[in-house]
Amino acid sequence: MFIENLNEMNQQRGQNSQHDQPDQYIFYAGDMKDVLNASFISKHGQPDIIITDPPRAGMHPDVVQTILQASPERIVYVSCNSATQARDLQMMDSAYEVIAVQPVDMFPHTHHVENIVLLRKREFSQTDSCQP
């Protein structure tokens, strides 16, 4: 299942999926903060993994909250702006831990780097909760 803000990207993905098993893919066009919400998750089920590649401005706080509510086991966060990625990761820190970080230099001889972070849901036990 794909959620993409740019409709032309969905069209390209649709064409590419024809070479694979097209009935396995569902494409949604729209802003993730508008598409990925509680009713979407209720209709399609809880995801096991979310791969997010937000714009340079990072994830909208509503999207972060929806991802936290969706509670996938893993999140792969791809970013071209490490500052907004760090901000977003901080918002998810209570529920997710960083497992791996991999910068990728896709634009040699420039200061631009894509950064990929793998997050895993934190495991909480009864002793972790703050009880009086």
Side-chain angles (χ1 to χ4, degrees):
M1 187 173 306
F2 299 90
I3 301 172
E4 176 60 59
N5 198 29
L6 300 172
N7 196 36
E8 49 277 4
M9 292 300 291
N10 275 331
Q11 291 170 352
Q12 285 179 353
R13 284 193 177 111
Q15 291 167 357
N16 290 338
S17 72
Q18 297 301 316
H19 302 291
D20 198 8
Q21 296 175 350
D23 57 331
Q24 290 187 345
Y25 302 102
I26 302 171
F27 300 93
Y28 291 91
D31 193 321
M32 194 164 164
K33 75 177 174 58
D34 299 325
V35 177
L36 182 65
N37 54 38
S39 64
F40 183 90
I41 292 167
S42 176
K43 179 179 178 182
H44 298 286
Q46 179 182 4
D48 296 321
I49 186 167
I50 290 178
I51 302 171
T52 183
D53 186 0
R56 186 168 288 282
M59 288 195 288
H60 189 278
D62 291 349
V63 172
V64 173
Q65 288 307 310
T66 301
I67 288 173
L68 291 173
Q69 289 171 0
S71 191
E73 286 299 316
R74 295 177 190 265
I75 300 169
V76 177
Y77 189 146
V78 181
S79 179
C80 62
N81 185 339
S82 58
T84 58
Q85 186 180 45
R87 178 203 65 205
D88 296 345
L89 294 176
Q90 181 63 39
M91 288 190 278
M92 295 186 285
D93 186 57
S94 64
Y96 288 87
E97 62 181 327
V98 173
I99 300 302
V101 177
Q102 180 64 59
V104 179
D105 186 5
M106 295 177 58
F107 310 103
H109 309 291
T110 73
H111 66 279
H112 298 286
V113 175
E114 291 286 317
N115 199 47
I116 304 167
V117 175
L118 173 61
L119 300 145
R120 179 176 58 201
K121 191 186 324 183
R122 293 184 185 277
E123 294 184 22
F124 294 101
S125 67
Q126 296 232 322
T127 58
D128 292 337
S129 62
C130 297
Q131 296 185 10

